[in-house]
């Protein structure tokens, strides 16, 4: 009977599941991995729910970094942020493939292997989306002077873009809210950023981020109006190329771009003052 380890959908959760399989020296035929709780159960399989443990995850992370190298670890980490439900299983199988190689640090070059090819594809999708969001995130100033941005990515890209914005705005209070995965990336000026699940921030309130209302500053609304007017003024109808526009700026990214949004004054959370 094949044993399936069910993991929490997080890096810690999946690496904890891989730890359980790896320490038992199980093959892909003997064991597999599933993520979350909405998967389809198969016949003749035993399902074991695996608790996310930092200690176990760190053991696997160090093993990958030591034996496969930092580059392979980065690609695996990105792949595990993918929305693809096969990610844990494919990473496990790719790690098994690495055991056969003399140059384990070149694992991601072995695209003839189905699992390696899948992991590399997931990495590319996550990396590409993260790259887009580095340019497409639009911060808006709240009444308490905190900068707030909302994104709706397919993949959990916040960890991929956190350092970028921390380097750009080290002396600002800012928040990026991932509506898809209900996670906040919070940065206090002069401090290290951190992540917060929405349910922890809401403290029992079942509403969305904007229901903790605060509203944008008057200066923000004035600048937004000027920005929209500028964008309209430089547009030349006779030279409009919708196909090229959609290629350079896909429609799914436009929902939270100021230049494409309608007037609104309360679509923001109020986080109060940051602690000192």
């Amino acid at each position: 009977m094949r044993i399936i380890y069910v993991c929490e959908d997080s890096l810690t959760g999946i690496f904890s599941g891989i730890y359980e399989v790896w320490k038992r020296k199980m093959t892909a035929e003997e064991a597999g991995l599933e993520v979350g709780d909405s998967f389809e159960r198969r016949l003749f399989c035993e399902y074991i729910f695996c608790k996310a443990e930092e200690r176990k995850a760190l053991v696997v992370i160090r093993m990958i970094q030591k034996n496969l190298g930092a580059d392979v670890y980065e690609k695996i980490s990105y792949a595990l942020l993918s929305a693809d439900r096969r990610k844990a299983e494919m990473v496990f199988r790719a790690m098994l493939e690495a055991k056969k190689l003399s140059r384990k640090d070149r694992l991601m070059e072995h695209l003839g292997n189905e699992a390696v090819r899948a992991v590399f594809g997931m990495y590319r999708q996550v990396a590409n989306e993260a790259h887009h969001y580095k340019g497409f995130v639009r911060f808006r100033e709240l009444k308490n002077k905190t900068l707030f941005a909302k994104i709706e990515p397919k993949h959990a890209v916040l960890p991929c873009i956190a350092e970028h914005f921390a380097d750009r705005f080290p002396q600002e209070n800012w928040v990026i809210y991932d509506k898809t995965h209900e996670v906040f990336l919070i940065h206090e000026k002069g401090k290290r950023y951190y992540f917060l699940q929405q349910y922890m921030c809401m403290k029992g309130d079942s509403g969305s981020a904007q229901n903790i209302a605060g509203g944008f500053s008057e200066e923000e609304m004035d600048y937004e109006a000027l920005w929209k007017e500028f964008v309209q003024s430089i547009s030349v109808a006779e030279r409009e190329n919708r196909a090229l526009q959609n290629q350079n700026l896909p429609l799914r990214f436009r929902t939270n771009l100021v230049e494409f949004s309608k007037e609104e004054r309360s679509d923001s959370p109020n986080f109060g003052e940051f602690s000192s």
Side-chain angles (χ1 to χ4, degrees), residues 163-180:
E163 284 291 344
H164 172 79
F165 288 105
D167 288 341
R168 285 191 64 189
F169 307 112
Q171 297 303 318
E172 298 286 348
N173 289 328
W174 52 262
V175 176
I176 301 177
Y177 171 52
D178 178 348
K179 183 179 179 182
T180 306

Side-chain angles (χ1 to χ4, degrees), residues 48-66:
I48 298 176
F49 288 85
C50 181
K51 182 181 178 182
E53 295 185 45
E54 197 75 32
R55 175 186 60 84
K56 294 179 180 179
L58 285 173
V59 170
V60 176
I61 290 170
R62 289 168 183 157
M63 179 182 70
I64 295 173
Q65 291 175 332
K66 178 181 178 180

Side-chain angles (χ1 to χ4, degrees), residues 208-231:
S208 59
Q210 46 265 52
N211 288 338
I212 358 179
F216 300 109
S217 68
E218 291 300 320
E219 293 87 348
E220 172 66 28
M221 302 310 296
D222 291 340
Y223 277 117
E224 285 188 17
L226 288 171
W227 174 245
K228 291 177 183 179
E229 185 177 340
F230 170 74
V231 171

Side-chain angles (χ1 to χ4, degrees), residues 12 15 36 38 40 63-64 83 105 116 119 123 127 133 148 169 174 180 190 193-194 236 244 260 268:
T12 301
F15 283 135
S38 59
E40 183 178 345
M63 179 182 70
I64 295 173
D105 60 323
V116 174
V119 171
Y123 154 73
Y133 271 112
F148 173 77
F169 307 112
W174 52 262
T180 306
Y193 61 81
Y194 57 94
V236 180
L244 183 60
F260 293 98
S268 64

Side-chain angles (χ1 to χ4, degrees), residues 15 18 22 59-77 80 90-110 115-116 119:
F15 283 135
I18 292 175
W22 207 262
V59 170
V60 176
I61 290 170
R62 289 168 183 157
M63 179 182 70
I64 295 173
Q65 291 175 332
K66 178 181 178 180
N67 295 286
L68 306 185
D71 182 66
V72 173
Y73 170 69
E74 180 183 37
K75 288 180 170 59
I76 286 175
S77 297
L80 293 181
M90 291 299 105
V91 166
F92 167 55
R93 288 173 177 263
M95 290 174 62
L96 290 176
E97 177 67 14
K99 294 174 70 174
K100 306 174 185 177
L101 306 177
S102 58
R103 286 291 305 275
K104 294 175 172 47
D105 60 323
R106 301 180 67 174
L107 172 65
M108 288 302 161
E109 297 177 17
H110 290 258
V116 174
V119 171

Side-chain angles (χ1 to χ4, degrees), residues 239-258:
R239 301 187 64 181
E240 188 175 274
N241 185 337
R242 286 297 178 90
L244 183 60
Q245 287 178 8
N246 292 341
Q247 179 181 330
N248 292 332
L249 182 54
L251 295 175
R252 71 185 183 89
F253 290 104
R254 301 185 187 186
T255 305
N256 298 299
L257 296 184
V258 171

Side-chain angles (χ1 to χ4, degrees), residues 132-162:
H132 278 107
Y133 271 112
K134 288 177 182 178
F136 293 155
V137 167
R138 295 291 187 269
F139 284 101
R140 308 173 74 182
E141 186 183 68
L142 303 180
K143 290 178 179 178
N144 65 3
K145 304 304 179 182
T146 299
L147 301 179
F148 173 77
K150 183 174 69 173
I151 61 175
E152 299 178 51
K154 292 180 181 178
H155 311 291
V157 299
L158 279 186
C160 307
I161 65 175

